[in-house]
Amino acid sequence: MDQKVLKRLVESISKSVNSFKKSEIECLIRIFHNVVGRGDVKLANVGLDRNTFRVILHSIFGMTDDVLMNRVFFAFDKDNDNYINVKEWVKGLSVFLRGTFEEKLKFCFEVYYFNGDGYISRERIYDMLKNSLHQQSPGEETDEGIRELVDIALKKMDYDNDGRISFADFEKAVKEDRLLLEVFGPCLPDAKSCLDFEALAFQHILTSSF
């Protein structure tokens, strides 16, 4: 790996990511480089495709919900080019591993709304709850029961009663009850997975700084 390219990337990313030290950013870049496995291409121009990223979410962070894993991919992929580049990788992991409550709140909302209009619709809530409940107990949930859950969710979170959940609705509901942060399915890694990943990722941190 070209050390000059690496150093420039660390410097560039560190300007927009405050939750990691530069030595930690370097470790995450190296992991990215190893996963992508294309040493003949400039590091800034390669990326993780959706399937590779899903394997990481499943094997390292214990995620199993296919729909939500896809949505997490798109939440990482800020430029919507269907690849997670190295900067998106580090920035996404900063929210995953050390994000503030506000950062995680915005991330979860971004995962949950699908159609790009900035709202979580009744239909999307139904689909997410049906998928999430099916993952937990296949075949035991009826459509009627899921629709009742949708009604409960909207009653609790739709403050302006327009039949959908805006970010303002979501933010207010989650601030009142933090257990609602991942109400429509797990899209953040649990604490143990984060600690395990950090222990593995940062075990060889260099003592020298840039």
Side-chain angles (χ1 to χ4, degrees), residues 82-97:
N82 289 312
Y83 286 92
I84 295 172
N85 64 42
V86 66
K87 292 183 179 180
E88 291 168 339
W89 162 253
V90 176
K91 287 182 180 180
L93 286 177
S94 74
V95 177
F96 251 35
L97 300 174

Side-chain angles (χ1 to χ4, degrees), residues 14-31:
S14 67
K15 292 176 182 176
S16 57
V17 176
N18 299 318
S19 54
F20 294 129
K21 294 181 289 188
K22 289 181 179 180
S23 56
E24 293 171 330
I25 291 174
E26 179 183 342
C27 289
L28 295 176
I29 292 172
R30 290 182 183 278
I31 291 171

Side-chain angles (χ1 to χ4, degrees), residues 3 6-7 18 28 50 83 94-95 98-99 116 118 122-123 126 132 144 181 199:
Q3 291 300 310
L6 177 61
K7 184 174 181 178
N18 299 318
L28 295 176
R50 197 187 316 181
Y83 286 92
S94 74
V95 177
R98 300 181 185 175
R122 174 182 290 272
E123 292 75 19
Y126 175 85
S132 180
E144 183 179 351
L181 181 62

Side-chain angles (χ1 to χ4, degrees), residues 13-15 19 35 75 96 104 118 129 131 137 168 178 184 189 210:
I13 293 172
S14 67
K15 292 176 182 176
S19 54
V35 172
F96 251 35
K104 290 182 176 181
L129 289 177
N131 185 65
S137 52
R178 295 201 174 197
F184 302 125
F210 291 99

Side-chain angles (χ1 to χ4, degrees), residues 7 24 32 48 50 81 111 120 134 198:
K7 184 174 181 178
E24 293 171 330
F32 177 89
L48 299 173
R50 197 187 316 181
D81 67 350
V111 169
I120 306 172
H134 180 72
E198 286 204 28

Side-chain angles (χ1 to χ4, degrees), residues 52 64 88 104 132 199 203 209:
T52 304
T64 57
E88 291 168 339
K104 290 182 176 181
S132 180
Q203 62 181 336
S209 60

Side-chain angles (χ1 to χ4, degrees), residues 19 29 37 50 60 73 80 86 90 93 99-100 118 125 128 136-137 141 156 161 176 197 204:
S19 54
I29 292 172
R50 197 187 316 181
I60 296 178
F73 173 84
N80 299 311
V86 66
V90 176
L93 286 177
T100 64
I125 296 172
M128 286 186 289
Q136 296 171 30
S137 52
E141 297 295 333
K156 190 169 183 66
N161 297 310
E176 289 182 359
F197 177 79
H204 299 306

